[in-house]
Amino acid sequence: MEKLSNPKETIQVLQKHQFQFKKKFGQNFLIDPHVLDKIVDAAQVTEEDFVLEIGPGIGTLTQYLCERSRQVLAVEIDKNLIPVLRDTLSPYTNVEVLQGDILKQDIQHIADTYNGGNRIKVVANLPYYITTPIIMELFESRVPLANVTVMVQKEVADRMRAEPGTKDCGALSLAVQYYAEPYIAAFVPPNCFIPRPNVGSAVVRLDCRTHAPVEVEDEKLLFRLIRASFNQRRKTLQNGIANSSELPFSKAEAAEAIGRAGFDSNIRGEKLGLPEFARLADVMSQMRVRSKEDI
Ligand code: SAM
């Protein structure tokens, strides 16, 4: 069997299995061999590696990963794709397919089972409707990760590497930069997919850090604070904190924390970078400890 990475083979497989695309699962399948090579190159996959693939589709990228790695586990949500994958991946002995939602998998267990608990590589042409939740889940669950190489909307790739204080910078930028160093490997036009998406795409490799770039007492509080600031980016930081359902601080307490961290009372969260958010989160942790002591 020829590899799937061209329009002719892809259409043949889709017709053979009478497959209907499902928009709700963000299904846009790759049909360009150069892009597939670029993704696998960017992921720096070697024969020793275990790779977790999210959303294999009909197995196009999976075939490339099987040829370059020791073992692949591919997690696909769409039940109708399982028989297709059984067919297209039949020449490969180093792949397993798991049907399910990636957001419901125990990835630590996957790393333990397939990679002796060592750092894993994740590769995906991501469904665009849940790009951010998937990336945040991978990072926040503290799974051992070496790198995460993903195809995302170009605009999301720009946000991932945006500098603090710029218009593209948001909660995703700061989270990605806290956990990883982003590197853009390629820009990919819509005609490399079937069906064509409405937006341009980019391949991004996130090299996961072994040490955080800033020290903070309470990581969860740091990310609640970052989300609160960018949820209402037109409001002052003080109002963002006070209005957040994730943070137990009144407007007066928010003002006190902002003052103690050395910021102007009218500052907006979008002006701050990771070191400044970490400083404020530490002040807020101390205030919370003190208020518990007072009770
Ligand atoms: N990897 C294939 C390729 O490059 O041609 C398909 C990529 S397509 C953009 C995204 C794939 O992710 C689809 O097969 C879709 O069914 C699957 N998917 C969507 N949501 C998912 C989820 N929550 N968990 C696992 N797979 C999901």
Side-chain angles (χ1 to χ4, degrees):
M1 186 175 28
E2 246 190 84
K3 284 226 287 270
L4 289 165
S5 53
N6 63 68
K8 192 171 139 249
E9 285 294 321
T10 299
I11 289 166
Q12 263 177 18
V13 165
L14 295 173
Q15 284 177 345
K16 178 176 167 192
H17 292 272
Q18 296 179 337
F19 179 75
Q20 306 280 338
F21 286 100
K22 289 188 198 68
K23 235 182 168 174
K24 68 170 178 176
F25 289 145
Q27 292 174 339
N28 301 95
F29 299 158
L30 273 166
I31 47 168
D32 186 312
H34 303 292
V35 175
L36 287 147
D37 270 327
K38 269 198 182 145
I39 297 176
V40 187
D41 287 345
Q44 300 171 336
V45 172
T46 72
E47 282 172 359
E48 274 112 62
D49 285 329
F50 162 71
V51 179
L52 170 64
E53 188 193 3
I54 302 169
I58 59 171
T60 314
L61 177 57
T62 325
Q63 292 183 334
Y64 279 68
L65 293 170
C66 287
E67 288 182 1
R68 297 256 210 119
S69 69
R70 169 174 60 81
Q71 169 99 47
V72 180
L73 177 70
V75 179
E76 172 56 58
I77 199 168
D78 187 351
K79 289 193 176 79
N80 293 345
L81 283 169
I82 304 304
V84 185
L85 288 163
R86 208 170 291 135
D87 179 14
T88 59
L89 300 177
S90 61
Y92 303 95
T93 54
N94 58 343
V95 59
E96 276 179 47
V97 175
L98 185 66
Q99 192 271 318
D101 181 345
I102 190 65
L103 293 174
K104 296 192 179 139
Q105 306 307 311
D106 181 345
I107 298 171
Q108 180 64 55
H109 180 70
I110 291 174
D112 291 342
T113 310
Y114 292 89
N115 211 33
N118 296 315
R119 303 206 303 156
I120 62 170
K121 292 183 177 169
V122 178
V123 178
N125 171 12
L126 281 179
Y128 292 166
Y129 76 109
I130 44 164
T131 299
T132 302
I134 291 177
I135 289 175
M136 291 314 300
E137 177 61 29
L138 283 171
F139 285 143
E140 287 186 358
S141 60
R142 283 302 193 180
V143 178
L145 298 170
N147 63 35
V148 175
T149 305
V150 282
M151 175 86 74
V152 295
Q153 283 183 43
K154 184 186 169 296
E155 179 207 311
V156 175
D158 290 337
R159 288 209 323 257
M160 285 180 177
R161 55 176 190 167
E163 299 279 339
T166 61
K167 76 168 181 13
D168 283 341
C169 187
L172 177 70
S173 327
L174 294 181
V176 161
Q177 292 165 26
Y178 181 81
Y179 290 108
E181 288 182 83
Y183 159 78
I184 297 201
F187 291 106
V188 183
N191 63 4
C192 295
F193 302 85
I194 184 171
R196 292 181 184 194
N198 297 325
V199 290
S201 305
V203 178
V204 185
R205 186 183 70 231
L206 306 171
D207 288 321
C208 302
R209 299 180 192 276
T210 46
H211 297 289
V214 294
E215 272 186 37
V216 64
E217 270 172 45
D218 183 342
E219 215 172 69
K220 280 212 170 95
L221 178 62
L222 171 69
F223 284 102
R224 285 189 189 142
L225 176 59
I226 289 174
R227 276 194 293 271
S229 318
F230 288 102
N231 269 348
Q232 298 187 306
R233 59 187 301 157
R234 280 163 194 280
K235 301 217 164 154
T236 61
L237 180 56
Q238 208 179 99
N239 282 329
I241 295 172
N243 294 342
S244 164
S245 57
E246 290 190 289
L247 291 171
F249 290 84
S250 66
K251 195 167 169 185
E253 288 167 330
E256 186 186 336
I258 290 167
R260 282 211 212 163
F263 304 123
D264 189 274
S265 59
N266 287 326
I267 195 157
R268 291 194 185 176
E270 63 189 10
K271 293 276 174 250
L272 308 186
L274 275 173
E276 292 80 21
F277 274 116
R279 190 157 89 223
L280 181 56
D282 280 349
V283 170
M284 290 165 77
S285 307
Q286 284 151 21
M287 282 171 61
R288 212 164 43 175
V289 170
R290 265 218 329 273
S291 74
K292 278 188 191 141
E293 283 169 0
D294 289 346
I295 294 168

